[in-house]
Amino acid sequence: MKKKILAILMVLTLVLATFVGCGNSAKEEDNKDSKDATYKVAYIARAQSDSFAAWLANEMKAAAAEYPDMKLDIFDGQADDEKENAAIENAIANGYDAIIVQPNNGEAQRPYVEQIVDAGIIAITTNARIDGIEGASSVDANPYTQAEVNAKAAIDQVPQNGRVVVLKGPSGNFHADERLKAWKEVFFAARPDVKIVGEDFANWNKDEAMSLMEDWVTSQGKIDAIISMNDNMAAGALEVIKDNSAYANTLSYGVDGTPEACLLIEQGKMTSTCLQSAIDLAKLNMESVHKLLTGEETQINTDIDAPLITKDNASEYVKIYKDRGLITE
C-alpha cells in the first residue's frame, strides 16, 4: 500500500514541472512549442498541496493538448488567497484570451474574476464555481449531489447511536458548504440518533485532518464513522487509525474518487466516495473554453456526473488510474 500511495504522490508531484510562479512568465520552451497557437489560456490552480487540485492541473494540461490552436499556461495559487489573486491580476495584465480560475476561497476570488470580465477576457470558474458573476462561465460538479450519494448510503451503514466525526473543507468554499449541507439534510436529518463527537475545518488538507483525528481519538475514544468533505482529509484521518484494531470497523466517506481513495476502498479500508473526475472536468473545461474563444458559445454553465464508488466498483476506477499511470505496481 505504501508503495502504491508513494507512486500516486510521485506522479501528482510531476505537475510541479508544469507550474510557474504566480509572477513569472510561462516557460520559454512551452512558448516555442506553441508559438503558432491562436489563443492564450491561463489556468489558475488552487494548490499543489491538494491531491485533487494537482491531479486536475495535470489533466488540464493533457486536455489542452487536444486543441492545437490553444496554448495553456498553469499557475499555482499555493492555497493562498493573496497569491491566487495576484496570479489572476498578472494573467489579466499579460493579455490572456481566457482565464480559468479554480478558487481557493470563492468570495476572496470573486472581485478578481469580476476584473477578468471587466477586462473583456473570457472567464471560467471551476471546482468550485463562483455563482452570480455576470458574464462569467462555469464548469464544475454538483457538490450537493456528490455528498448526497454518500449520505444516502450512510443512513443504513452507520450503526445505531453511532459516534461520528466531520471533516470540513474551507469555510465559504462552495463545494465545502454544499457537501456539508447535503450531509445535514440527508443523513443527519434521517439519523437523529447519531452523535457528532468531533467537527472541524481541515481545509482539504491531509495533514490537518491527521492532526484533528489524533485529537479526537485521544479525547473521544470510539468513532464509528469519518464523514469527510473530500478524499484527502478522509485518507489523513484513516492514516491515524490504520494500525489500531479498535477502529477496524470505522466507516469513512469522502468525495473526489482520487486514486488513493479508490485503492483504500478496494482494500476495504474506506467505505465510499463520489467520483469527481479530474479527467472529465479537465476535458469539459477545455471544450468549453474553446467554444467560448471561437464564438460557438457566449456563456456556459455545466456540470460533470457524480457516480458513487464503493467496494463493488472501486476496481474499475483503479484500473483506469493504472492505465493513466496514476497508480503503479
Side-chain angles (χ1 to χ4, degrees):
M1 178 66 182
K2 288 184 178 179
K3 290 183 178 179
K4 289 181 178 179
I5 298 304
L6 179 60
I8 294 168
L9 294 174
M10 289 177 66
V11 171
L12 289 176
T13 54
L14 289 176
V15 183
L16 279 169
T18 70
F19 279 11
V20 293
C22 291
N24 298 335
S25 59
K27 293 191 295 184
E28 183 178 346
E29 56 268 32
D30 284 347
N31 284 331
K32 181 179 179 182
D33 292 340
S34 306
K35 62 182 180 180
D36 296 326
T38 304
Y39 307 109
K40 289 173 55 184
V41 180
Y43 173 52
I44 316 297
R46 179 175 63 235
Q48 180 61 30
S49 59
D50 178 337
S51 60
F52 182 82
W55 176 27
L56 179 57
N58 206 27
E59 294 298 338
M60 286 282 201
K61 198 74 173 178
E66 300 299 317
Y67 297 87
D69 58 344
M70 291 196 314
K71 167 69 171 64
L72 179 70
D73 293 324
I74 301 176
F75 302 87
D76 183 6
Q78 301 177 49
D80 184 301
D81 287 334
E82 289 187 6
K83 291 179 180 178
E84 180 154 359
N85 295 339
I88 295 171
E89 288 186 315
N90 286 339
I92 294 171
N94 287 327
Y96 281 89
D97 300 296
I99 301 173
I100 303 171
V101 177
Q102 181 192 28
N104 180 59
N105 175 343
E107 290 310 302
Q109 276 73 68
R110 179 183 294 276
Y112 294 87
V113 176
E114 290 172 345
Q115 287 182 34
I116 299 173
V117 176
D118 292 342
I121 299 169
I122 290 168
I124 296 178
T125 58
T126 190
N127 186 241
R129 65 165 45 94
I130 305 174
D131 283 328
I133 300 179
E134 187 175 353
S137 294
S138 66
V139 178
D140 202 7
N142 186 322
Y144 190 98
T145 302
Q146 290 173 332
E148 182 183 29
V149 293
N150 280 291
K152 285 181 175 178
I155 291 172
D156 296 325
Q157 294 170 342
V158 175
Q160 190 70 21
N161 300 315
R163 296 165 56 84
V164 307
V165 295
V166 179
L167 291 163
K168 301 189 291 187
S171 177
N173 179 279
F174 176 64
H175 276 214
D177 293 346
E178 286 295 300
R179 290 172 190 173
L180 184 61
K181 180 181 177 182
W183 272 102
K184 289 180 177 179
E185 294 181 351
V186 177
F187 175 75
F188 288 108
R191 292 292 308 275
D193 59 294
V194 172
K195 181 180 180 181
I196 299 175
V197 297
E199 181 176 11
D200 210 336
F201 297 96
N203 302 307
W204 307 136
N205 188 280
K206 180 182 285 189
D207 290 339
E208 291 185 39
M210 289 179 67
S211 179
L212 288 171
M213 191 65 178
E214 286 169 354
D215 291 341
W216 290 333
V217 166
T218 301
S219 63
Q220 300 299 331
K222 183 182 179 183
I223 296 172
D224 294 299
I226 299 161
I227 295 173
S228 176
M229 301 307 113
N230 83 339
D231 290 342
N232 208 35
M233 297 185 296
L238 287 171
E239 183 69 19
V240 173
I241 61 174
K242 67 178 181 179
D243 297 322
N244 191 330
S245 60
Y247 297 92
N249 296 319
T250 298
L251 305 170
S252 181
Y253 305 91
V255 171
D256 282 338
T258 62
E260 181 177 15
C262 290
L263 280 173
L264 289 169
I265 293 170
E266 185 181 50
Q267 295 165 1
K269 299 176 181 178
M270 184 170 169
T271 310
S272 68
T273 185
C274 175
L275 179 65
Q276 180 170 250
S277 172
I279 300 168
D280 293 344
L281 194 58
K283 287 181 178 179
L284 193 53
N285 264 288
M286 290 303 107
E287 177 185 326
S288 297
V289 76
H290 193 262
K291 287 181 177 179
L292 292 166
L293 285 165
T294 58
E296 184 177 341
E297 300 283 353
T298 57
Q299 186 162 356
I300 296 173
N301 294 289
T302 186
D303 290 330
I304 58 173
D305 293 332
L308 184 68
I309 301 175
T310 67
K311 186 71 181 293
D312 293 336
N313 63 355
S315 60
E316 300 172 19
Y317 295 95
V318 169
K319 183 180 184 303
I320 291 171
Y321 294 138
K322 286 181 177 179
D323 291 344
R324 294 185 74 84
L326 292 172
I327 297 176
T328 58
E329 295 293 349

